[in-house]
Each structure stands twice: as structure tokens, then as C-alpha cells.
């Protein structure tokens, strides 16, 4: 009888132990899954936006340090920055997500960086974003809902829904200008400042160790923009670490020139940075070929 009682007690304890272990496993599983995004956030911390130098990877426009800025942290520690969430998804559509470590967006109200997967989104054609994709992000779903109630428009989207969203630019009368002639390297460039435009003088037959004049004509509301701060950022393709910065001088109203000598043959990227006070900061990138 005593043996049976002892066996019964041991059996009951074993059952309780199994239940407790199972419960702990579930709790640990929940904790781990709940912290997965925290782990990602610790491993891939977002970088600050520098509007002086940061340019969107897709549209080559300046990335403003504002609520619309987004970024991708690659597994190789490279950071890609975008001026609009739509541009971020344009990059993903082109390159896939295999090399991505983390994706960040900003809270619409506080501009706090948050993981893309943790945010809630509002879409509407009436919402103006830098490239007119019409989607803004919120850390809290309640803030997104409150925004829609205040504006009386908007569609609530989860991060999962973004992958299936039809990414199209809305017609918000953003200026786009065609720079140059019919050269295959010319692209349409949009600028943040309404009425702003710049034309870069094309360079032909550039040789190594030959000094060339880099020239850009800048206008605002069809008038020459005088007294602006203009700099040229120059780097050889695949060698962004070897970037040179050259300050331009205004040689005539709205025309800014800098002399530069290319030391190696290859394809060079030249990005013109234009700043005028606190309200205007624009970029334009062109490519040139340098031969021996």
C-alpha cells in the first residue's frame, strides 16, 4: 500500500512537471517571438539623415530629414536611404529582400524611427508625400485611425499589405524636368522646390589628367538663382569612399563653375548640391565617361 501511494505521488509530480515545462516552453516561445523585432532593431540601428549629402537610391532626389524618410539596412552593413516609402518598395521590387537586414520608417507625428513591420499605414490619393505615393506611417494604430477620422479620408494598411499595394505616383503637380538632350543617360528629375530647375553642361571627350570646367545653370521661377551655395560631389563608379567635394563659384548670374581634373579612366558620378538658406536644398546627379 505504501509502495502504491509512493508511486501515485511520483506519477502526479511527473504530470505536473510535464505541464509546467510545456507551459514554460510556450511562454518562452511567445517571449522570443515577441522580441524578434527588438533583436533586429538592436542589430541594425537606423542612421541619421543628412540632407546635405543623402540622396534617394531610386529617384536620386535629396532625402529630407522629415517624417517621410525611410531606409533599408543591408546585411553587409550598407544603408540605403529613400525620400518616400514608395521608392523603398521600388528598390525592393528591383532587388528583392534577401540581402535586407532591416527596414525603417518614421512615425508621422514624432519622426521616431520604427521598424517597417511594426508600423501602421494610411493611404489616400490626397496625402502628399515627396514622390506622391500617398502613404504615411504611424507607430500606433490608434494614431493612424485618429488621422483618418480628422481628415475624413484614408485607408488603413498593415505592413503585410504594403507588399501587395499598387505603388503608383499620384498626380500632385510635382515638377519634373528633362535635363540635357536625347542622350541615353539623361533622366527625368523631380525637385522638391516648386519652380526650381538646374541644367548641367554636358562634358564630352574627357581625358585623364585634363582639367575640365564643371558648370550648372540654376533658376528659380524662371529667374537666375543668385548667391546659392553650390558644391560638386564627384566619385569614380564603385568607389564612393574616394569621393571628392569641390565648391563652385558663381561666374555669372545663376551660373556656377568649378574646375576639376579626373585622375583615372572610368565612369564618374557627379552630383550637384544646391543650397539656398534653410528652405532650398536640391540634388542632381549625372554621369560622365573619362578615357585615357
Amino acid at each position: 500500500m505504501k509502495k502504491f501511494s509512493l508511486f501515485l505521488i511520483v506519477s502526479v509530480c511527473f504530470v505536473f512537471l510535464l505541464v509546467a515545462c510545456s507551459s514554460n516552453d510556450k511562454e518562452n516561445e511567445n517571449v522570443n517571438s515577441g522580441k524578434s523585432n527588438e533583436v533586429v532593431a538592436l542589430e541594425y540601428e537606423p542612421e541619421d539623415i543628412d540632407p546635405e549629402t543623402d540622396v534617394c537610391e531610386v529617384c536620386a532626389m535629396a532625402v529630407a530629414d522629415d517624417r517621410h524618410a525611410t531606409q533599408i539596412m543591408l546585411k553587409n552593413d550598407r544603408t540605403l536611404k529613400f525620400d518616400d516609402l514608395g521608392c523603398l518598395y521600388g528598390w525592393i521590387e528591383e532587388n528583392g529582400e534577401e540581402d535586407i537586414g532591416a527596414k525603417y520608417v518614421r512615425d508621422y507625428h514624432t519622426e521616431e524611427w520604427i521598424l517597417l513591420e511594426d508600423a501602421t499605414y494610411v493611404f489616400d490619393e490626397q496625402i502628399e508625400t515627396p514622390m506622391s505615393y500617398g502613404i504615411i506611417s504611424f507607430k500606433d494604430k490608434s494614431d493612424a485611425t485618429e488621422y483618418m477620422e480628422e481628415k475624413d479620408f484614408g485607408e488603413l494598411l498593415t505592413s503585410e499589405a504594403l507588399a501587395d499595394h499598387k505603388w503608383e505616383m499620384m498626380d500632385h503637380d510635382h515638377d519634373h524636368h528633362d535635363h540635357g538632350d536625347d542622350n541615353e543617360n539623361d533622366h527625368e528629375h523631380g525637385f522638391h522646390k516648386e519652380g526650381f530647375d538646374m541644367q548641367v553642361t554636358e562634358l564630352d571627350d574627357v581625358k585623364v589628367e585634363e582639367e575640365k570646367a564643371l558648370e550648372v545653370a540654376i533658376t528659380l521661377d524662371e529667374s537666375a538663382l543668385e548667391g546659392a551655395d553650390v558644391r560638386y560631389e564627384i566619385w569614380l563608379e564603385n568607389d564612393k569612399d574616394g569621393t571628392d567635394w569641390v565648391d563652385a563659384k558663381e561666374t555669372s548670374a545663376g551660373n556656377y563653375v568649378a574646375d576639376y581634373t579626373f585622375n583615372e579612366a572610368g565612369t564618374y558620378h557627379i552630383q550637384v548640391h544646391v543650397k539656398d538658406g534653410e528652405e532650398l536644398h536640391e540634388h542632381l546627379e549625372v554621369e560622365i565617361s573619362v578615357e585615357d
Side-chain angles (χ1 to χ4, degrees), residues 50-168:
D50 185 351
E52 295 287 338
T53 58
D54 288 334
V55 184
C56 178
E57 289 287 330
V58 170
C59 68
M61 290 176 62
V63 180
D65 189 14
D66 62 13
R67 62 185 61 169
H68 301 295
T70 64
Q71 58 181 285
I72 285 175
M73 321 289 290
L74 298 179
K75 294 175 182 177
N76 64 4
D77 293 332
R78 184 185 172 203
T79 300
L80 311 177
K81 297 175 183 177
F82 308 88
D83 63 339
D84 193 300
L85 183 61
C87 288
L88 180 148
Y89 271 91
W91 187 92
I92 290 176
E93 183 177 352
E94 181 74 20
N95 299 278
E97 298 199 43
E98 183 178 351
D99 297 326
I100 295 177
K103 303 183 288 286
Y104 281 95
V105 298
R106 271 179 159 170
D107 178 74
Y108 185 79
H109 293 311
T110 67
E111 298 185 10
E112 173 189 352
W113 287 112
I114 46 179
L115 286 171
L116 184 147
E117 293 80 5
D118 289 342
T120 301
Y121 302 85
V122 175
F123 164 70
D124 197 272
E125 293 184 3
Q126 299 181 63
I127 297 175
E128 293 197 20
T129 64
M131 293 306 294
S132 300
Y133 284 102
I135 292 186
I136 53 179
S137 47
F138 295 86
K139 180 178 180 179
D140 298 320
K141 182 178 179 180
S142 59
D143 289 339
T145 303
E146 183 178 343
Y147 174 90
M148 292 191 300
E149 291 174 351
E150 289 178 356
K151 300 294 185 181
D152 198 26
F153 60 69
E155 174 188 355
L156 201 67
L157 297 176
T158 63
S159 59
E160 291 82 3
L162 296 180
D164 298 322
H165 178 73
K166 191 174 182 180
W167 293 96
E168 293 181 331

Side-chain angles (χ1 to χ4, degrees), residues 200-203 210-216 232 256-262 270:
V200 177
T201 301
E202 186 176 350
L203 292 177
E210 178 184 13
E211 188 176 73
K212 283 287 186 178
L214 310 177
E215 184 173 358
V216 61
Y232 292 93
Y256 297 83
V257 180
D259 294 326
Y260 188 77
T261 301
F262 298 91
I270 301 177

Side-chain angles (χ1 to χ4, degrees), residues 5 14 17 20 22 27 33 41 71 81 128 146 170-171 187 190 200 211 216 218 251 290:
S5 299
F14 181 71
L17 181 62
S22 176
E27 287 179 7
S33 63
Q71 58 181 285
K81 297 175 183 177
E128 293 197 20
E146 183 178 343
M170 306 300 128
D171 184 11
H187 303 279
V200 177
E211 188 176 73
V216 61
I218 305 173
T251 57
V290 177

